[in-house]
Amino acid sequence: MSGLVTGDAVVLGLQPARLPSRALAVLIDLVVVWAAYLLITLGLAVATASLDEAAETAVFIASFLLLLVGVPIAVETLSHGRSLGKLACGLRVVRDDGGPIRFRHALVRGAMGVVEILMTFGVVACVASLVSERGRRLGDVFAGTLVVRERIPAARVLAVPPPPPWLVGRFAGLDLSAVPEALWLEIRQYLTRARELDPAVGRRLAERLADELVARTGTPPPPGVPADAYLAGVVAERQARDCRRALAPASGMAVPGAGPASASFVPPAATSAASPVPPPVATGDRPQSPAAPAAPSTGFAPPA
C-alpha cells in the first residue's frame, strides 16, 4: 500500500521500505542510543558510587529502560515516525491508512522492538520482515503501522485519468474558487495512484475527498455518480479551465469563469468620437504668425 497525503504532510505514493534500508536505519539508531547509554551509564556510575548495590541496580535498570525503550518511543511520537536512522535513510513510519503515528503506535513498536531487536539481536525482526509482503516486522503488525520510503528516485509524471465520457462538461458551472491547492494535490495524487490502493481503502479515501470537495464548492455531485468518477470529472473541468486561461492572452478570447472583463477601458477610437479634437494643421516650412487676440462680440456682422 502506498502512503496518503494528509494534513501532516504524509505523502501519497510512497513505497514500503524493505529489509536492507530498514536494517541500516535500525543500525544507526542503535549506535546512537548505545553510545548515549554508555556515556550516561559512566556518569551514573560515578554519581552513584556512594549508594548500595540495590540502589545502583535500580538506577541502571531505569536508565536502560529510559534510553533504549523510552527515548525511541518519544522520538517516533514527536517526529511522527522519523528517528535519526530513518531520517538518514529517507524512511518514515505511518499508519496502515497512511496517517501519522501516535503515541500508542510508537509504544507498541517500541515494546515489541525490545523482544525482536534487542533480545534476539534482530533475528526475529529480520525473519518477519522477509516473510511480510510489505516488509513489516512484528511491531508493525501489532501496532498497525508501515515503514515507507520518503526519498524515492524521481519518477515519470503520471497523468490524471480522464473522467467517464458522460461526465465531461457536466461541471462547467461549478464554482472552484474556494478549493485550496492542498486539496487539489490530494485528489490528483489519489487519481494517479487509485489502482495501486486496496479497493476498500481507495473507496473510503475517494468518499472522504469527495465530501471535502462538496463542502468547498457547495454543490453536491449528481445522483448515482461514484466518488472516484466525480473527482475525475471535477479535476478534468479544472484542467480545462486552466488550459483556456493559459491560451486566452494569446488568442484574445474571454475565458468563462476567469473573472469579469475590464469595463473602464475605452478604446482610442471611442474616445475621439465622444470628444472630437481637430487635427493639427500642416504648416510646411513656413513659420506661423502669432494668432491675433479674439475681438469681443458686439453683434455686428461684417458685409460679405
Side-chain angles (χ1 to χ4, degrees):
M1 183 192 72
S2 300
L4 309 175
V5 175
T6 66
D8 296 87
V10 181
V11 183
L12 177 70
L14 297 179
Q15 301 297 323
R18 296 303 177 184
L19 181 59
S21 57
R22 294 193 62 175
L24 180 59
V26 171
L27 181 61
I28 294 174
D29 289 337
L30 288 178
V31 169
V32 173
V33 171
W34 275 106
Y37 175 72
L38 292 177
L39 291 177
I40 293 178
T41 301
L42 292 176
L44 289 175
V46 175
T48 60
S50 59
L51 299 179
D52 56 7
E53 184 177 355
E56 290 182 356
T57 304
V59 169
F60 287 130
I61 293 176
S63 63
F64 174 84
L65 294 177
L66 179 63
L67 293 175
L68 297 182
V69 181
V71 169
I73 293 174
V75 169
E76 282 197 350
T77 302
L78 297 177
S79 63
H80 295 293
R82 293 189 187 96
S83 62
L84 184 61
K86 291 181 178 64
L87 187 63
C89 297
L91 307 180
R92 185 175 184 174
V93 184
V94 297
R95 300 196 308 260
D96 274 341
D97 60 357
I101 65 171
R102 302 186 184 277
F103 172 73
R104 59 185 180 88
H105 304 97
L107 178 62
V108 175
R109 282 175 47 84
M112 292 299 301
V114 174
V115 178
E116 59 179 335
I117 296 178
L118 297 180
M119 297 180 62
T120 62
F121 300 98
V123 174
V124 175
C126 291
V127 173
S129 182
L130 290 173
V131 172
S132 174
E133 181 182 357
R134 294 182 291 178
R136 302 201 300 175
R137 62 180 179 88
L138 294 181
D140 294 317
V141 175
F142 285 105
T145 57
L146 175 68
V147 180
V148 296
R149 297 169 57 193
E150 282 196 311
R151 293 200 303 265
I152 57 177
R156 67 183 187 278
V157 178
L158 300 177
V160 177
W166 49 274
L167 274 182
V168 175
R170 293 194 62 178
F171 304 104
L174 200 62
D175 182 13
L176 304 178
S177 59
V179 182
E181 286 296 328
L183 183 56
W184 286 122
L185 177 61
E186 284 191 67
I187 295 173
R188 285 196 299 266
Q189 290 182 331
Y190 161 75
L191 292 174
T192 55
R193 302 287 183 177
R195 296 183 179 180
E196 303 176 10
L197 299 176
D198 180 78
V201 174
R203 183 170 55 255
R204 290 196 300 268
L205 179 59
E207 292 173 354
R208 179 180 67 82
L209 294 175
D211 291 340
E212 293 184 15
L213 189 59
V214 169
R216 294 288 185 174
T217 59
T219 304
V225 176
D228 54 348
Y230 169 69
L231 295 175
V234 176
V235 169
E237 174 61 28
R238 194 214 185 203
Q239 290 177 341
R241 293 184 188 182
D242 291 342
C243 183
R244 291 195 298 267
R245 187 177 295 109
L247 296 178
S251 61
M253 297 172 56
V255 180
S262 175
S264 61
F265 174 73
V266 180
T271 305
S272 61
S275 57
V277 178
V281 179
T283 59
D285 297 333
R286 295 180 302 171
Q288 287 185 337
S289 60
S297 177
T298 61
F300 172 74

mmCIF file with all atom_site columns, all heavy atoms in Angstrom, residues 9 19 33 35 67 73 75 81 110 122 126 131 143 152 158 164 167 210 216 219-220 242 256 262 264 271 286 288 304:
data_model
loop_
_atom_site.group_PDB
_atom_site.id
_atom_site.type_symbol
_atom_site.label_atom_id
_atom_site.label_alt_id
_atom_site.label_comp_id
_atom_site.label_asym_id
_atom_site.label_entity_id
_atom_site.label_seq_id
_atom_site.pdbx_PDB_ins_code
_atom_site.Cartn_x
_atom_site.Cartn_y
_atom_site.Cartn_z
_atom_site.occupancy
_atom_site.B_iso_or_equiv
_atom_site.pdbx_formal_charge
_atom_site.auth_seq_id
_atom_site.auth_comp_id
_atom_site.auth_asym_id
_atom_site.auth_atom_id
_atom_site.pdbx_PDB_model_num
ATOM 1   N N   . ALA A 1 9   ? 1.310   16.180  6.176   1.00 0.00 ? 9   ALA A N   1
ATOM 2   C CA  . ALA A 1 9   ? 2.274   16.063  5.074   1.00 0.00 ? 9   ALA A CA  1
ATOM 3   C C   . ALA A 1 9   ? 2.800   14.665  4.889   1.00 0.00 ? 9   ALA A C   1
ATOM 4   O O   . ALA A 1 9   ? 3.940   14.464  4.508   1.00 0.00 ? 9   ALA A O   1
ATOM 5   C CB  . ALA A 1 9   ? 3.444   17.029  5.274   1.00 0.00 ? 9   ALA A CB  1
ATOM 6   N N   . LEU A 1 19  ? 13.979  -4.630  3.724   1.00 0.00 ? 19  LEU A N   1
ATOM 7   C CA  . LEU A 1 19  ? 14.862  -5.001  4.831   1.00 0.00 ? 19  LEU A CA  1
ATOM 8   C C   . LEU A 1 19  ? 16.201  -4.278  4.819   1.00 0.00 ? 19  LEU A C   1
ATOM 9   O O   . LEU A 1 19  ? 16.646  -3.813  5.876   1.00 0.00 ? 19  LEU A O   1
ATOM 10  C CB  . LEU A 1 19  ? 15.077  -6.519  4.816   1.00 0.00 ? 19  LEU A CB  1
ATOM 11  C CG  . LEU A 1 19  ? 15.972  -7.079  5.928   1.00 0.00 ? 19  LEU A CG  1
ATOM 12  C CD1 . LEU A 1 19  ? 15.398  -6.745  7.292   1.00 0.00 ? 19  LEU A CD1 1
ATOM 13  C CD2 . LEU A 1 19  ? 16.138  -8.582  5.762   1.00 0.00 ? 19  LEU A CD2 1
ATOM 14  N N   . VAL A 1 33  ? 21.947  5.317   20.195  1.00 0.00 ? 33  VAL A N   1
ATOM 15  C CA  . VAL A 1 33  ? 21.350  5.060   21.505  1.00 0.00 ? 33  VAL A CA  1
ATOM 16  C C   . VAL A 1 33  ? 22.344  4.392   22.441  1.00 0.00 ? 33  VAL A C   1
ATOM 17  O O   . VAL A 1 33  ? 22.446  4.755   23.626  1.00 0.00 ? 33  VAL A O   1
ATOM 18  C CB  . VAL A 1 33  ? 20.069  4.213   21.340  1.00 0.00 ? 33  VAL A CB  1
ATOM 19  C CG1 . VAL A 1 33  ? 19.563  3.741   22.695  1.00 0.00 ? 33  VAL A CG1 1
ATOM 20  C CG2 . VAL A 1 33  ? 18.989  5.030   20.649  1.00 0.00 ? 33  VAL A CG2 1
ATOM 21  N N   . ALA A 1 35  ? 25.618  4.520   22.312  1.00 0.00 ? 35  ALA A N   1
ATOM 22  C CA  . ALA A 1 35  ? 26.660  5.483   22.680  1.00 0.00 ? 35  ALA A CA  1
ATOM 23  C C   . ALA A 1 35  ? 26.167  6.402   23.792  1.00 0.00 ? 35  ALA A C   1
ATOM 24  O O   . ALA A 1 35  ? 26.879  6.658   24.777  1.00 0.00 ? 35  ALA A O   1
ATOM 25  C CB  . ALA A 1 35  ? 27.084  6.294   21.454  1.00 0.00 ? 35  ALA A CB  1
ATOM 26  N N   . LEU A 1 67  ? 16.494  4.964   28.175  1.00 0.00 ? 67  LEU A N   1
ATOM 27  C CA  . LEU A 1 67  ? 17.259  5.303   26.978  1.00 0.00 ? 67  LEU A CA  1
ATOM 28  C C   . LEU A 1 67  ? 16.997  4.357   25.813  1.00 0.00 ? 67  LEU A C   1
ATOM 29  O O   . LEU A 1 67  ? 16.886  4.796   24.658  1.00 0.00 ? 67  LEU A O   1
ATOM 30  C CB  . LEU A 1 67  ? 18.754  5.326   27.301  1.00 0.00 ? 67  LEU A CB  1
ATOM 31  C CG  . LEU A 1 67  ? 19.201  6.449   28.244  1.00 0.00 ? 67  LEU A CG  1
ATOM 32  C CD1 . LEU A 1 67  ? 20.669  6.291   28.578  1.00 0.00 ? 67  LEU A CD1 1
ATOM 33  C CD2 . LEU A 1 67  ? 18.937  7.802   27.603  1.00 0.00 ? 67  LEU A CD2 1
ATOM 34  N N   . ILE A 1 73  ? 10.691  5.635   21.665  1.00 0.00 ? 73  ILE A N   1
ATOM 35  C CA  . ILE A 1 73  ? 9.243   5.845   21.609  1.00 0.00 ? 73  ILE A CA  1
ATOM 36  C C   . ILE A 1 73  ? 8.923   7.336   21.562  1.00 0.00 ? 73  ILE A C   1
ATOM 37  O O   . ILE A 1 73  ? 8.079   7.784   20.770  1.00 0.00 ? 73  ILE A O   1
ATOM 38  C CB  . ILE A 1 73  ? 8.564   5.172   22.813  1.00 0.00 ? 73  ILE A CB  1
ATOM 39  C CG1 . ILE A 1 73  ? 8.685   3.653   22.715  1.00 0.00 ? 73  ILE A CG1 1
ATOM 40  C CG2 . ILE A 1 73  ? 7.098   5.574   22.910  1.00 0.00 ? 73  ILE A CG2 1
ATOM 41  C CD1 . ILE A 1 73  ? 8.157   2.918   23.935  1.00 0.00 ? 73  ILE A CD1 1
ATOM 42  N N   . VAL A 1 75  ? 10.892  9.776   20.537  1.00 0.00 ? 75  VAL A N   1
ATOM 43  C CA  . VAL A 1 75  ? 11.351  10.367  19.278  1.00 0.00 ? 75  VAL A CA  1
ATOM 44  C C   . VAL A 1 75  ? 10.379  10.061  18.144  1.00 0.00 ? 75  VAL A C   1
ATOM 45  O O   . VAL A 1 75  ? 10.017  10.949  17.354  1.00 0.00 ? 75  VAL A O   1
ATOM 46  C CB  . VAL A 1 75  ? 12.767  9.856   18.947  1.00 0.00 ? 75  VAL A CB  1
ATOM 47  C CG1 . VAL A 1 75  ? 13.158  10.242  17.525  1.00 0.00 ? 75  VAL A CG1 1
ATOM 48  C CG2 . VAL A 1 75  ? 13.774  10.418  19.930  1.00 0.00 ? 75  VAL A CG2 1
ATOM 49  N N   . GLY A 1 81  ? 7.087   9.524   13.350  1.00 0.00 ? 81  GLY A N   1
ATOM 50  C CA  . GLY A 1 81  ? 7.611   8.347   12.659  1.00 0.00 ? 81  GLY A CA  1
ATOM 51  C C   . GLY A 1 81  ? 9.006   8.473   12.122  1.00 0.00 ? 81  GLY A C   1
ATOM 52  O O   . GLY A 1 81  ? 9.459   7.584   11.399  1.00 0.00 ? 81  GLY A O   1
ATOM 53  N N   . GLY A 1 110 ? 7.845   0.097   20.095  1.00 0.00 ? 110 GLY A N   1
ATOM 54  C CA  . GLY A 1 110 ? 8.995   0.077   20.979  1.00 0.00 ? 110 GLY A CA  1
ATOM 55  C C   . GLY A 1 110 ? 9.012   -1.130  21.891  1.00 0.00 ? 110 GLY A C   1
ATOM 56  O O   . GLY A 1 110 ? 10.074  -1.738  22.125  1.00 0.00 ? 110 GLY A O   1
ATOM 57  N N   . GLY A 1 122 ? 17.891  -8.877  16.592  1.00 0.00 ? 122 GLY A N   1
ATOM 58  C CA  . GLY A 1 122 ? 17.296  -8.561  15.302  1.00 0.00 ? 122 GLY A CA  1
ATOM 59  C C   . GLY A 1 122 ? 16.929  -9.743  14.443  1.00 0.00 ? 122 GLY A C   1
ATOM 60  O O   . GLY A 1 122 ? 16.442  -9.548  13.323  1.00 0.00 ? 122 GLY A O   1
ATOM 61  N N   . CYS A 1 126 ? 14.196  -9.563  11.382  1.00 0.00 ? 126 CYS A N   1
ATOM 62  C CA  . CYS A 1 126 ? 14.621  -9.840  10.004  1.00 0.00 ? 126 CYS A CA  1
ATOM 63  C C   . CYS A 1 126 ? 13.750  -10.915 9.363   1.00 0.00 ? 126 CYS A C   1
ATOM 64  O O   . CYS A 1 126 ? 13.333  -10.776 8.202   1.00 0.00 ? 126 CYS A O   1
ATOM 65  C CB  . CYS A 1 126 ? 16.089  -10.246 9.983   1.00 0.00 ? 126 CYS A CB  1
ATOM 66  S SG  . CYS A 1 126 ? 17.248  -8.928  10.371  1.00 0.00 ? 126 CYS A SG  1
ATOM 67  N N   . VAL A 1 131 ? 9.400   -12.298 5.525   1.00 0.00 ? 131 VAL A N   1
ATOM 68  C CA  . VAL A 1 131 ? 8.170   -13.042 5.251   1.00 0.00 ? 131 VAL A CA  1
ATOM 69  C C   . VAL A 1 131 ? 7.039   -12.103 4.845   1.00 0.00 ? 131 VAL A C   1
ATOM 70  O O   . VAL A 1 131 ? 6.218   -12.433 3.989   1.00 0.00 ? 131 VAL A O   1
ATOM 71  C CB  . VAL A 1 131 ? 7.770   -13.875 6.492   1.00 0.00 ? 131 VAL A CB  1
ATOM 72  C CG1 . VAL A 1 131 ? 6.394   -14.507 6.301   1.00 0.00 ? 131 VAL A CG1 1
ATOM 73  C CG2 . VAL A 1 131 ? 8.815   -14.953 6.757   1.00 0.00 ? 131 VAL A CG2 1
ATOM 74  N N   . ALA A 1 143 ? 1.067   -2.994  15.876  1.00 0.00 ? 143 ALA A N   1
ATOM 75  C CA  . ALA A 1 143 ? 0.740   -1.568  16.003  1.00 0.00 ? 143 ALA A CA  1
ATOM 76  C C   . ALA A 1 143 ? -0.095  -1.053  14.846  1.00 0.00 ? 143 ALA A C   1
ATOM 77  O O   . ALA A 1 143 ? -0.661  0.043   14.929  1.00 0.00 ? 143 ALA A O   1
ATOM 78  C CB  . ALA A 1 143 ? 2.029   -0.747  16.102  1.00 0.00 ? 143 ALA A CB  1
ATOM 79  N N   . ILE A 1 152 ? 12.447  8.907   -2.788  1.00 0.00 ? 152 ILE A N   1
ATOM 80  C CA  . ILE A 1 152 ? 12.471  7.925   -3.870  1.00 0.00 ? 152 ILE A CA  1
ATOM 81  C C   . ILE A 1 152 ? 12.976  8.611   -5.126  1.00 0.00 ? 152 ILE A C   1
ATOM 82  O O   . ILE A 1 152 ? 12.862  9.832   -5.274  1.00 0.00 ? 152 ILE A O   1
ATOM 83  C CB  . ILE A 1 152 ? 11.072  7.317   -4.113  1.00 0.00 ? 152 ILE A CB  1
ATOM 84  C CG1 . ILE A 1 152 ? 10.054  8.421   -4.419  1.00 0.00 ? 152 ILE A CG1 1
ATOM 85  C CG2 . ILE A 1 152 ? 10.621  6.509   -2.915  1.00 0.00 ? 152 ILE A CG2 1
ATOM 86  C CD1 . ILE A 1 152 ? 8.680   7.895   -4.738  1.00 0.00 ? 152 ILE A CD1 1
ATOM 87  N N   . LEU A 1 158 ? 2.776   11.052  -13.661 1.00 0.00 ? 158 LEU A N   1
ATOM 88  C CA  . LEU A 1 158 ? 1.612   10.270  -14.031 1.00 0.00 ? 158 LEU A CA  1
ATOM 89  C C   . LEU A 1 158 ? 0.465   11.191  -14.381 1.00 0.00 ? 158 LEU A C   1
ATOM 90  O O   . LEU A 1 158 ? 0.161   12.138  -13.661 1.00 0.00 ? 158 LEU A O   1
ATOM 91  C CB  . LEU A 1 158 ? 1.216   9.338   -12.880 1.00 0.00 ? 158 LEU A CB  1
ATOM 92  C CG  . LEU A 1 158 ? 2.275   8.317   -12.446 1.00 0.00 ? 158 LEU A CG  1
ATOM 93  C CD1 . LEU A 1 158 ? 1.772   7.509   -11.259 1.00 0.00 ? 158 LEU A CD1 1
ATOM 94  C CD2 . LEU A 1 158 ? 2.635   7.394   -13.601 1.00 0.00 ? 158 LEU A CD2 1
ATOM 95  N N   . PRO A 1 164 ? -15.287 9.579   -16.958 1.00 0.00 ? 164 PRO A N   1
ATOM 96  C CA  . PRO A 1 164 ? -16.158 8.890   -17.923 1.00 0.00 ? 164 PRO A CA  1
ATOM 97  C C   . PRO A 1 164 ? -16.719 9.877   -18.938 1.00 0.00 ? 164 PRO A C   1
ATOM 98  O O   . PRO A 1 164 ? -16.963 11.050  -18.613 1.00 0.00 ? 164 PRO A O   1
ATOM 99  C CB  . PRO A 1 164 ? -17.267 8.306   -17.023 1.00 0.00 ? 164 PRO A CB  1
ATOM 100 C CG  . PRO A 1 164 ? -16.664 8.219   -15.666 1.00 0.00 ? 164 PRO A CG  1
ATOM 101 C CD  . PRO A 1 164 ? -15.709 9.357   -15.563 1.00 0.00 ? 164 PRO A CD  1
ATOM 102 N N   . LEU A 1 167 ? -19.581 12.260  -18.136 1.00 0.00 ? 167 LEU A N   1
ATOM 103 C CA  . LEU A 1 167 ? -19.395 13.311  -17.143 1.00 0.00 ? 167 LEU A CA  1
ATOM 104 C C   . LEU A 1 167 ? -18.669 14.526  -17.699 1.00 0.00 ? 167 LEU A C   1
ATOM 105 O O   . LEU A 1 167 ? -18.553 15.542  -17.003 1.00 0.00 ? 167 LEU A O   1
ATOM 106 C CB  . LEU A 1 167 ? -18.611 12.778  -15.943 1.00 0.00 ? 167 LEU A CB  1
ATOM 107 C CG  . LEU A 1 167 ? -19.400 12.092  -14.823 1.00 0.00 ? 167 LEU A CG  1
ATOM 108 C CD1 . LEU A 1 167 ? -18.487 11.669  -13.709 1.00 0.00 ? 167 LEU A CD1 1
ATOM 109 C CD2 . LEU A 1 167 ? -20.488 13.006  -14.285 1.00 0.00 ? 167 LEU A CD2 1
ATOM 110 N N   . ALA A 1 210 ? -14.240 13.412  -1.814  1.00 0.00 ? 210 ALA A N   1
ATOM 111 C CA  . ALA A 1 210 ? -15.448 13.948  -2.443  1.00 0.00 ? 210 ALA A CA  1
ATOM 112 C C   . ALA A 1 210 ? -16.253 14.791  -1.453  1.00 0.00 ? 210 ALA A C   1
ATOM 113 O O   . ALA A 1 210 ? -16.794 15.850  -1.810  1.00 0.00 ? 210 ALA A O   1
ATOM 114 C CB  . ALA A 1 210 ? -16.297 12.804  -2.998  1.00 0.00 ? 210 ALA A CB  1
ATOM 115 N N   . ARG A 1 216 ? -16.390 22.425  -0.097  1.00 0.00 ? 216 ARG A N   1
ATOM 116 C CA  . ARG A 1 216 ? -15.734 23.629  -0.616  1.00 0.00 ? 216 ARG A CA  1
ATOM 117 C C   . ARG A 1 216 ? -16.534 24.276  -1.733  1.00 0.00 ? 216 ARG A C   1
ATOM 118 O O   . ARG A 1 216 ? -16.583 25.500  -1.849  1.00 0.00 ? 216 ARG A O   1
ATOM 119 C CB  . ARG A 1 216 ? -14.331 23.277  -1.139  1.00 0.00 ? 216 ARG A CB  1
ATOM 120 C CG  . ARG A 1 216 ? -13.369 22.823  -0.059  1.00 0.00 ? 216 ARG A CG  1
ATOM 121 C CD  . ARG A 1 216 ? -12.940 23.971  0.811   1.00 0.00 ? 216 ARG A CD  1
ATOM 122 N NE  . ARG A 1 216 ? -11.924 23.552  1.784   1.00 0.00 ? 216 ARG A NE  1
ATOM 123 C CZ  . ARG A 1 216 ? -11.306 24.395  2.593   1.00 0.00 ? 216 ARG A CZ  1
ATOM 124 N NH1 . ARG A 1 216 ? -11.610 25.673  2.573   1.00 0.00 ? 216 ARG A NH1 1
ATOM 125 N NH2 . ARG A 1 216 ? -10.414 23.951  3.449   1.00 0.00 ? 216 ARG A NH2 1
ATOM 126 N N   . THR A 1 219 ? -21.826 22.436  -3.862  1.00 0.00 ? 219 THR A N   1
ATOM 127 C CA  . THR A 1 219 ? -22.724 21.780  -4.820  1.00 0.00 ? 219 THR A CA  1
ATOM 128 C C   . THR A 1 219 ? -22.553 20.284  -4.717  1.00 0.00 ? 219 THR A C   1
ATOM 129 O O   . THR A 1 219 ? -21.436 19.781  -4.911  1.00 0.00 ? 219 THR A O   1
ATOM 130 C CB  . THR A 1 219 ? -22.417 22.244  -6.252  1.00 0.00 ? 219 THR A CB  1
ATOM 131 O OG1 . THR A 1 219 ? -22.497 23.667  -6.308  1.00 0.00 ? 219 THR A OG1 1
ATOM 132 C CG2 . THR A 1 219 ? -23.410 21.629  -7.237  1.00 0.00 ? 219 THR A CG2 1
ATOM 133 N N   . PRO A 1 220 ? -23.587 19.532  -4.408  1.00 0.00 ? 220 PRO A N   1
ATOM 134 C CA  . PRO A 1 220 ? -23.448 18.074  -4.310  1.00 0.00 ? 220 PRO A CA  1
ATOM 135 C C   . PRO A 1 220 ? -23.249 17.455  -5.679  1.00 0.00 ? 220 PRO A C   1
ATOM 136 O O   . PRO A 1 220 ? -23.630 18.039  -6.708  1.00 0.00 ? 220 PRO A O   1
ATOM 137 C CB  . PRO A 1 220 ? -24.778 17.642  -3.680  1.00 0.00 ? 220 PRO A CB  1
ATOM 138 C CG  . PRO A 1 220 ? -25.744 18.709  -4.079  1.00 0.00 ? 220 PRO A CG  1
ATOM 139 C CD  . PRO A 1 220 ? -24.958 19.978  -4.109  1.00 0.00 ? 220 PRO A CD  1
ATOM 140 N N   . ASP A 1 242 ? -7.985  25.845  -16.688 1.00 0.00 ? 242 ASP A N   1
ATOM 141 C CA  . ASP A 1 242 ? -6.600  26.321  -16.677 1.00 0.00 ? 242 ASP A CA  1
ATOM 142 C C   . ASP A 1 242 ? -6.042  26.421  -18.093 1.00 0.00 ? 242 ASP A C   1
ATOM 143 O O   . ASP A 1 242 ? -5.302  27.363  -18.411 1.00 0.00 ? 242 ASP A O   1
ATOM 144 C CB  . ASP A 1 242 ? -5.732  25.381  -15.835 1.00 0.00 ? 242 ASP A CB  1
ATOM 145 C CG  . ASP A 1 242 ? -6.056  25.461  -14.352 1.00 0.00 ? 242 ASP A CG  1
ATOM 146 O OD1 . ASP A 1 242 ? -6.684  26.451  -13.944 1.00 0.00 ? 242 ASP A OD1 1
ATOM 147 O OD2 . ASP A 1 242 ? -5.688  24.526  -13.604 1.00 0.00 ? 242 ASP A OD2 1
ATOM 148 N N   . PRO A 1 256 ? -14.474 31.865  -19.740 1.00 0.00 ? 256 PRO A N   1
ATOM 149 C CA  . PRO A 1 256 ? -15.587 31.806  -18.791 1.00 0.00 ? 256 PRO A CA  1
ATOM 150 C C   . PRO A 1 256 ? -15.095 31.459  -17.399 1.00 0.00 ? 256 PRO A C   1
ATOM 151 O O   . PRO A 1 256 ? -14.319 30.535  -17.220 1.00 0.00 ? 256 PRO A O   1
ATOM 152 C CB  . PRO A 1 256 ? -16.490 30.704  -19.366 1.00 0.00 ? 256 PRO A CB  1
ATOM 153 C CG  . PRO A 1 256 ? -16.079 30.562  -20.796 1.00 0.00 ? 256 PRO A CG  1
ATOM 154 C CD  . PRO A 1 256 ? -14.638 30.932  -20.837 1.00 0.00 ? 256 PRO A CD  1
ATOM 155 N N   . SER A 1 262 ? -12.517 44.044  -18.005 1.00 0.00 ? 262 SER A N   1
ATOM 156 C CA  . SER A 1 262 ? -12.405 45.438  -17.560 1.00 0.00 ? 262 SER A CA  1
ATOM 157 C C   . SER A 1 262 ? -13.396 46.292  -18.323 1.00 0.00 ? 262 SER A C   1
ATOM 158 O O   . SER A 1 262 ? -13.417 46.290  -19.552 1.00 0.00 ? 262 SER A O   1
ATOM 159 C CB  . SER A 1 262 ? -10.971 45.940  -17.788 1.00 0.00 ? 262 SER A CB  1
ATOM 160 O OG  . SER A 1 262 ? -10.896 47.289  -17.475 1.00 0.00 ? 262 SER A OG  1
ATOM 161 N N   . SER A 1 264 ? -13.729 49.683  -17.635 1.00 0.00 ? 264 SER A N   1
ATOM 162 C CA  . SER A 1 264 ? -13.313 51.075  -17.577 1.00 0.00 ? 264 SER A CA  1
ATOM 163 C C   . SER A 1 264 ? -12.451 51.473  -18.754 1.00 0.00 ? 264 SER A C   1
ATOM 164 O O   . SER A 1 264 ? -12.162 52.652  -18.936 1.00 0.00 ? 264 SER A O   1
ATOM 165 C CB  . SER A 1 264 ? -12.548 51.333  -16.276 1.00 0.00 ? 264 SER A CB  1
ATOM 166 O OG  . SER A 1 264 ? -11.398 50.528  -16.241 1.00 0.00 ? 264 SER A OG  1
ATOM 167 N N   . THR A 1 271 ? -12.946 57.207  -27.788 1.00 0.00 ? 271 THR A N   1
ATOM 168 C CA  . THR A 1 271 ? -12.628 58.465  -27.110 1.00 0.00 ? 271 THR A CA  1
ATOM 169 C C   . THR A 1 271 ? -12.665 59.645  -28.067 1.00 0.00 ? 271 THR A C   1
ATOM 170 O O   . THR A 1 271 ? -13.213 60.701  -27.771 1.00 0.00 ? 271 THR A O   1
ATOM 171 C CB  . THR A 1 271 ? -11.249 58.363  -26.452 1.00 0.00 ? 271 THR A CB  1
ATOM 172 O OG1 . THR A 1 271 ? -11.237 57.238  -25.596 1.00 0.00 ? 271 THR A OG1 1
ATOM 173 C CG2 . THR A 1 271 ? -10.909 59.617  -25.658 1.00 0.00 ? 271 THR A CG2 1
ATOM 174 N N   . ARG A 1 286 ? 6.773   77.093  -43.710 1.00 0.00 ? 286 ARG A N   1
ATOM 175 C CA  . ARG A 1 286 ? 6.575   78.493  -43.352 1.00 0.00 ? 286 ARG A CA  1
ATOM 176 C C   . ARG A 1 286 ? 6.241   78.627  -41.876 1.00 0.00 ? 286 ARG A C   1
ATOM 177 O O   . ARG A 1 286 ? 5.387   77.903  -41.379 1.00 0.00 ? 286 ARG A O   1
ATOM 178 C CB  . ARG A 1 286 ? 5.432   79.090  -44.174 1.00 0.00 ? 286 ARG A CB  1
ATOM 179 C CG  . ARG A 1 286 ? 5.762   79.141  -45.670 1.00 0.00 ? 286 ARG A CG  1
ATOM 180 C CD  . ARG A 1 286 ? 4.583   79.730  -46.414 1.00 0.00 ? 286 ARG A CD  1
ATOM 181 N NE  . ARG A 1 286 ? 3.391   78.916  -46.168 1.00 0.00 ? 286 ARG A NE  1
ATOM 182 C CZ  . ARG A 1 286 ? 2.173   79.295  -46.560 1.00 0.00 ? 286 ARG A CZ  1
ATOM 183 N NH1 . ARG A 1 286 ? 1.990   80.481  -47.145 1.00 0.00 ? 286 ARG A NH1 1
ATOM 184 N NH2 . ARG A 1 286 ? 1.129   78.518  -46.320 1.00 0.00 ? 286 ARG A NH2 1
ATOM 185 N N   . GLN A 1 288 ? 4.399   80.009  -38.694 1.00 0.00 ? 288 GLN A N   1
ATOM 186 C CA  . GLN A 1 288 ? 3.080   80.567  -38.464 1.00 0.00 ? 288 GLN A CA  1
ATOM 187 C C   . GLN A 1 288 ? 3.193   81.904  -37.751 1.00 0.00 ? 288 GLN A C   1
ATOM 188 O O   . GLN A 1 288 ? 4.049   82.081  -36.880 1.00 0.00 ? 288 GLN A O   1
ATOM 189 C CB  . GLN A 1 288 ? 2.234   79.619  -37.617 1.00 0.00 ? 288 GLN A CB  1
ATOM 190 C CG  . GLN A 1 288 ? 1.769   78.393  -38.369 1.00 0.00 ? 288 GLN A CG  1
ATOM 191 C CD  . GLN A 1 288 ? 0.852   77.564  -37.502 1.00 0.00 ? 288 GLN A CD  1
ATOM 192 O OE1 . GLN A 1 288 ? 0.917   77.669  -36.286 1.00 0.00 ? 288 GLN A OE1 1
ATOM 193 N NE2 . GLN A 1 288 ? 0.016   76.750  -38.125 1.00 0.00 ? 288 GLN A NE2 1
ATOM 194 N N   . ALA A 1 304 ? -20.576 90.777  -46.675 1.00 0.00 ? 304 ALA A N   1
ATOM 195 C CA  . ALA A 1 304 ? -19.980 89.656  -47.413 1.00 0.00 ? 304 ALA A CA  1
ATOM 196 C C   . ALA A 1 304 ? -19.095 90.192  -48.531 1.00 0.00 ? 304 ALA A C   1
ATOM 197 O O   . ALA A 1 304 ? -19.443 91.175  -49.191 1.00 0.00 ? 304 ALA A O   1
ATOM 198 C CB  . ALA A 1 304 ? -21.089 88.782  -47.955 1.00 0.00 ? 304 ALA A CB  1
#
